[in-house]
Amino acid sequence: MLVTVMLFLPALLMTSCGDTIWTPGPPPIGWDDTFYDSTLTGRWELISADGMPVDYNSTNWMEFDGYGRGYYTYWNNGRLYSERLGYWCEAPYMGYSSYQINIQYEYSSPVTMDYWFSGNVLYFRWQTGSGRIVTYAYQRVYTIP
């Protein structure tokens, strides 16, 4: 009996029950100047990066639930991955014309981006660590693979 317990104990300790709890934190400046933009609610597929079309195996998808949560789905080495995200938006500050979205990814680094709409295309623009300005365009879609 002792041998049986010793054989199964490591297996029991290494399993988990259900999903891990992941809760992105609140905005560092508090909730007074932030909001959830209902126009972001839905699913979005990347269609271009810096004005160049993106092929299907290089695209990614963003899903916003309207209440600060969502998913980021992407290809990596031919496999599709998904991670949870948390987000909040900020209105333009004085002298600044764009709305901003702050995204905390479950496994990736957080990012703050300007965003705007043109028709039913959503644009995100941010500056990389090396100082390069990047603009992505997303089209609204109804399903994500």
Side-chain angles (χ1 to χ4, degrees):
M1 173 114 161
L2 181 60
V3 172
T4 304
V5 170
M6 290 176 57
L7 287 174
F8 286 106
L9 187 60
L12 289 172
L13 294 175
M14 293 166 59
T15 62
S16 64
C17 298
D19 228 359
T20 58
I21 296 174
W22 178 77
T23 55
I29 59 173
W31 289 105
D32 293 340
D33 299 323
T34 62
F35 62 98
Y36 302 129
D37 189 340
S38 63
T39 56
L40 291 168
T41 303
R43 298 174 182 103
W44 302 89
E45 180 178 345
L46 179 65
I47 57 172
S48 73
D50 289 332
M52 301 299 295
V54 176
D55 69 27
Y56 185 79
N57 292 321
S58 299
T59 195
N60 64 60
W61 296 265
M62 304 287 273
E63 181 176 1
F64 301 104
D65 71 357
Y67 301 100
R69 300 288 187 267
Y71 289 92
Y72 173 59
T73 304
Y74 57 95
W75 292 102
N76 186 5
N77 294 323
R79 295 186 60 194
L80 204 56
Y81 292 89
S82 187
E83 62 184 89
R84 294 175 285 192
L85 62 84
Y87 69 93
W88 67 88
C89 302
E90 297 177 64
Y93 292 110
M94 211 176 344
Y96 197 73
S97 62
S98 296
Y99 285 85
Q100 289 188 316
I101 185 169
N102 300 276
I103 300 178
Q104 295 178 349
Y105 297 96
E106 185 175 12
Y107 303 116
S108 304
S109 298
V111 65
T112 298
M113 301 178 281
D114 295 339
Y115 75 93
W116 67 95
F117 297 90
S118 179
N120 58 347
V121 176
L122 167 62
Y123 291 91
F124 289 123
R125 181 179 55 218
W126 72 97
Q127 189 170 356
T128 67
S130 65
R132 189 169 80 87
I133 302 294
V134 178
T135 304
Y136 280 3
Y138 285 79
Q139 180 81 40
R140 187 179 293 277
V141 294
Y142 295 101
T143 60
I144 294 176

